[in-house]
Amino acid sequence: MGRNLFDYDGDTWADLFVANDHGPDKLYRNNKDGTFADVSEQSGIVTLIRGKPTGAMGLCVGDYDNDADLDLFVTNYDEDLLWRNNGNGTFTNVAEAVGVANVGVGWYASFVDFDNDGYRDLYVVNGDVDNSQKTNLNRLYHNNRNGKFVDRSDAFNATVDSVARGATAGDFDNDGDVDFFVVNNTGNTLLLNDLDPSWHISKPASQENLTQIQRVLLPLRYARDAASRRNQSKNKRLQIRLIGTKSNRDGIGTRVAVRVKDFVQTQELICGTGFLGSDSLDLEFGLAGASRIDSLTLTWPSGIVDTYENIYASNMFIFTEGEKEKFVVAVEPTGKQATTWGKVKDAEVFQNYPNPFNPETWIPYKLFESSDVEFSIFTPSGELVREFKLGQQSRGEKKLYWDGKNAAGETVASGIYFYQFKAGNTQSVRKMWLMK
């Protein structure tokens, strides 16, 4: 279901990891002669967890523990796996030990530094399949900088309770931090990161400092303040764009090491993340409070190594392979207009509960601005069962009650029903099951 080419053993040759749904995951080491060797077993990549097949969906690669080698996170039908690179050609699954053993049906995952503190965090997208009744809530794991993670999904409203299949990460609004675009089967979700790093302060989180992903799907009015927010942010980031000459044009496979004093971050530019997707090809390094980079080393697939020293941090650097004498600092144009990303949802509807139900159920929904709200309930053949025209409602979290009766007040038969939700420019359809 997923595959990635990356250099797991640090020999500058791209190796191959294949995540299989109905078969064992495989790690192939590059023999440097155009062939690969299957090293899955000797590397510790196992095919059974707690006696069950893994059922892989997608994967991502990143150095979450900042030890200069690349680790693997694999999403599965059951629990997900974090393969920590031991630096000697072997891997150890530490998902449960470090707090990322997600139990939903995982699809997309990506190591990203969403708060720019210099440590890779992890975002995982879940989507139910085969009516497994597993969670659809996405997970945002924050790196505690001690080798472990803590789940901050609820605190930052990053759950997006929809049946998802993929996502992509990048700085959509160009304000200095990474955002997420999540692909769902009932409409897509743009998660705008508007985090003030002050949330690290150990005190109860207030509404004001829950802005990181709390502002989901609201109008993108924050984009117009991108330049000022980027300049005022406590945790700055460095964005790097690569141009290959002897290597491929985008510099895929280039390993980048950024050193600030004794602290080193390592990333490899990889094409393909999660399930059938890819993140932005711009590499992003969180610099926390640093303003100067002591050294930056680019190891290109061609074998060329470019090293730059004593660089003052800027928003973006553009490096061209083999041209060590010069690099480009991308400058934010003055008077830049805010980007409009099409229509932004006014509302979101969630899965009814309980489900299955008998004879009554509740359908939760959320309005991000005042809207006219309508619900329609249909049979699988398209016959209208019941209609609720709720009129204009104020923003906030709400729910609709259905007693399992049609418009004539008659109790409907057992079976699958669909509810259609309309609010502003948002339309969504979900399935529910009346079981007597």
Side-chain angles (χ1 to χ4, degrees):
M1 298 287 275
R3 83 290 171 265
N4 262 341
L5 284 164
F6 72 104
D7 180 14
Y8 83 92
D9 54 1
D11 64 356
T12 73
W13 290 78
D15 309 295
L16 175 64
F17 187 91
V18 180
N20 287 308
D21 184 7
H22 297 291
D25 296 343
K26 292 291 185 179
L27 177 64
Y28 298 97
R29 186 185 62 221
N30 195 322
N31 290 330
K32 309 177 189 178
D33 60 1
T35 66
F36 290 80
D38 184 351
V39 295
S40 310
E41 185 174 350
Q42 67 192 67
S43 68
I45 303 295
V46 298
T47 60
L48 296 177
I49 300 295
R50 305 182 200 281
K52 297 187 297 184
T54 53
M57 301 295 177
L59 71 152
C60 64
V61 175
D63 182 17
Y64 82 91
D65 49 3
N66 283 338
D67 64 352
D69 50 36
L70 300 178
D71 311 295
L72 275 166
F73 186 82
V74 184
T75 60
N76 290 290
Y77 183 84
D78 289 303
E79 61 185 270
D80 295 339
L81 308 175
L82 174 54
W83 293 109
R84 184 185 63 204
N85 192 327
N86 297 322
N88 59 1
T90 68
F91 290 82
T92 302
N93 175 32
V94 296
E96 187 172 10
V98 305
V100 296
N102 170 60
V103 293
V105 181
W107 296 86
Y108 167 90
S110 185
F111 285 111
V112 294
D113 184 3
F114 75 85
D115 57 350
N116 293 335
D117 68 349
Y119 286 81
R120 313 302 288 175
D121 309 299
L122 179 65
Y123 189 57
V124 181
V125 164
N126 290 312
D128 191 16
V129 52
D130 298 331
N131 198 28
S132 69
Q133 301 300 310
K134 294 187 178 182
T135 181
N136 287 320
L137 300 179
N138 301 338
R139 311 320 308 171
L140 178 65
Y141 297 107
H142 179 248
N143 193 322
N144 273 350
R145 298 179 283 184
N146 61 359
K148 296 187 176 182
F149 294 79
V150 61
D151 188 350
R152 304 287 297 188
S153 314
D154 293 327
F156 294 118
N157 197 22
T159 54
V160 189
D161 187 11
S162 296
V163 179
R165 285 296 181 267
T168 186
D171 188 2
F172 291 100
D173 50 0
N174 197 32
D175 66 347
D177 46 37
V178 66
D179 312 298
F180 299 99
F181 186 81
V182 183
V183 180
N184 308 303
N185 68 354
T186 55
N188 304 324
T189 306
L190 175 61
L191 301 180
L192 286 180
N193 183 339
D194 195 21
L195 176 67
D196 181 344
S198 62
W199 73 269
H200 284 301
I201 298 173
S202 56
K203 62 181 181 181
S206 66
Q207 184 67 26
E208 286 71 21
N209 60 24
L210 287 185
T211 55
Q212 192 264 338
I213 301 181
Q214 194 81 11
R215 302 195 188 277
V216 178
L217 301 181
L218 290 180
L220 307 187
R221 58 184 180 275
Y222 305 98
R224 66 173 178 265
D225 299 322
S228 61
R229 281 192 52 234
R230 182 164 51 244
N231 293 333
Q232 296 171 7
S233 175
K234 294 180 182 178
N235 283 355
K236 298 184 182 301
R237 69 98 190 263
L238 169 65
Q239 193 172 20
I240 292 177
R241 185 171 298 168
L242 302 176
I243 300 175
T245 53
K246 295 191 176 184
S247 302
N248 59 85
R249 180 66 173 78
D250 292 317
I252 303 295
T254 301
R255 182 167 292 205
V256 181
V258 173
R259 181 175 66 85
V260 176
K261 297 182 179 179
D262 294 328
F263 184 70
V264 179
Q265 298 180 60
T266 304
Q267 290 189 54
E268 189 171 304
L269 183 56
I270 293 172
C271 183
T273 302
F275 173 71
L276 299 180
S278 184
D279 289 340
S280 168
L281 294 183
D282 291 339
L283 294 176
E284 301 192 10
F285 292 83
L287 298 178
S291 59
R292 193 184 75 168
I293 300 164
D294 291 299
S295 69
L296 190 154
T297 302
L298 308 173
T299 304
W300 300 84
S302 66
I304 293 176
V305 178
D306 295 327
T307 300
Y308 304 82
E309 296 181 342
N310 298 322
I311 303 173
Y312 283 91
S314 179
N315 179 48
M316 176 182 280
F317 290 145
I318 302 174
F319 295 98
T320 301
E321 182 179 13
E323 297 185 5
K324 182 180 173 183
E325 295 75 17
K326 61 180 179 179
F327 58 91
V328 177
V329 178
V331 179
E332 183 73 15
T334 58
K336 181 176 179 180
Q337 299 298 310
T339 302
T340 301
W341 298 92
K343 291 184 177 181
V344 179
K345 280 187 176 181
D346 297 326
E348 189 167 7
V349 67
F350 306 101
Q351 190 64 50
N352 67 299
Y353 66 91
N355 188 45
F357 65 96
N358 178 30
E360 56 187 9
T361 189
W362 286 260
I363 303 174
Y365 59 100
K366 186 173 184 178
L367 302 180
F368 297 102
E369 59 183 47
S370 178
S371 304
D372 282 318
V373 178
E374 294 182 20
F375 277 91
S376 301
I377 300 174
F378 297 91
T379 65
S381 64
E383 178 185 355
L384 179 63
V385 175
R386 186 86 174 265
E387 194 170 31
F388 299 87
K389 294 190 175 182
L390 305 180
Q392 188 79 8
Q393 294 189 335
S394 60
R395 61 180 295 179
E397 296 182 355
K398 306 176 186 297
K399 56 187 175 182
L400 172 75
Y401 168 75
W402 183 42
D403 57 6
K405 296 181 180 180
N406 60 22
E410 302 166 334
T411 300
V412 300
S414 297
I416 298 295
Y417 291 87
F418 294 89
Y419 56 92
Q420 182 182 55
F421 169 74
K422 294 181 181 180
N425 62 31
T426 299
Q427 293 190 40
S428 185
V429 177
R430 281 180 174 264
K431 180 172 62 175
M432 56 183 170
W433 186 10
L434 173 57
M435 184 173 62
K436 297 181 180 180

